[in-house]
Amino acid sequence: LGLLEWIDDYPIMLNIAGVDSIDVDFGDKQYKFDLIHSVDSEGNALLEINGNNGFHLDNSEVQNFRELYKVLLSVQIMGNINDELNEEGKPATFTEEEINEIVSDEKNFMGSVKFNMIGGDVKQYSFHRYSTRRAIFNYNGAKNFYVLADWIEKLESDVELVLKNIDVDSHSKN
């Protein structure tokens, strides 16, 4: 079995009840969402969201944010970056040094998402373009896989939709 057969295509699985805040960065735009968890008098879980520039959602308004949260979790690994073929049809093998150069070069940065967990743990992923259609998926320092750049553009668009109180479709591709 290949490595990808042991890894779920959707590697981020975090219950929203354990998330304290989410930081989303697209280089020129940064967003922070603070999640306020509580319970009502009957023991039902409640959620409020505070964000940039006075953005606020009370418990009755959070469904659209929950759709965005699904998008944040829906990053799909498309493959190992060394499994794709170059222009000559040969494996495009990247050395660890080349991968680190791509990730460290600011012009390749497409975005990042950081989940600050209630217990203090941090889960973070970022994207670094290395071709027209693909970006390295860097999850807590592991940089072996790629995602499609279109997904990152959808994520940025969906964050903007939530802030404008426009419905997010977590199932759409764009």
Side-chain angles (χ1 to χ4, degrees), residues 101-119:
E101 284 177 24
I102 292 166
V103 170
S104 64
D105 189 337
E106 288 183 28
K107 77 176 190 316
N108 298 324
F109 179 77
M110 293 187 73
S112 69
V113 177
K114 182 170 133 183
F115 298 90
N116 302 294
M117 306 305 289
I118 289 174

Side-chain angles (χ1 to χ4, degrees), residues 159-174:
V159 169
E160 291 287 333
L161 290 175
V162 163
L163 294 173
K164 294 175 184 173
N165 201 24
I166 299 172
D167 288 347
V168 169
D169 181 355
S170 62
H171 301 289
S172 76
K173 300 286 183 193
N174 52 23

Side-chain angles (χ1 to χ4, degrees), residues 61-164:
E61 304 169 311
V62 298
Q63 186 55 44
N64 200 36
F65 182 84
R66 289 180 181 274
E67 290 300 310
L68 173 64
Y69 190 76
K70 289 179 192 176
V71 174
L72 292 169
L73 300 182
S74 72
V75 58
Q76 183 179 11
I77 291 173
M78 300 307 295
N80 185 305
I81 62 172
N82 285 322
D83 288 345
E84 71 175 277
L85 303 178
N86 63 20
E87 297 81 34
E88 293 88 38
K90 297 179 180 170
T93 55
F94 292 92
T95 66
E96 188 173 337
E97 183 178 284
E98 289 170 325
I99 293 169
N100 288 333
E101 284 177 24
I102 292 166
V103 170
S104 64
D105 189 337
E106 288 183 28
K107 77 176 190 316
N108 298 324
F109 179 77
M110 293 187 73
S112 69
V113 177
K114 182 170 133 183
F115 298 90
N116 302 294
M117 306 305 289
I118 289 174
D121 285 346
V122 173
K123 308 292 185 193
Q124 181 169 352
Y125 60 82
S126 60
F127 307 100
H128 309 270
R129 187 183 295 274
Y130 71 94
S131 76
T132 306
R133 296 188 55 226
R134 295 180 173 95
I136 291 173
F137 172 64
N138 179 1
Y139 182 54
N140 291 339
K143 303 169 262 206
N144 303 8
F145 303 105
Y146 74 88
V147 298
L148 297 179
D150 291 352
W151 183 87
I152 303 156
E153 293 161 6
K154 177 201 176 2
L155 174 61
E156 185 170 6
S157 171
D158 286 352
V159 169
E160 291 287 333
L161 290 175
V162 163
L163 294 173
K164 294 175 184 173

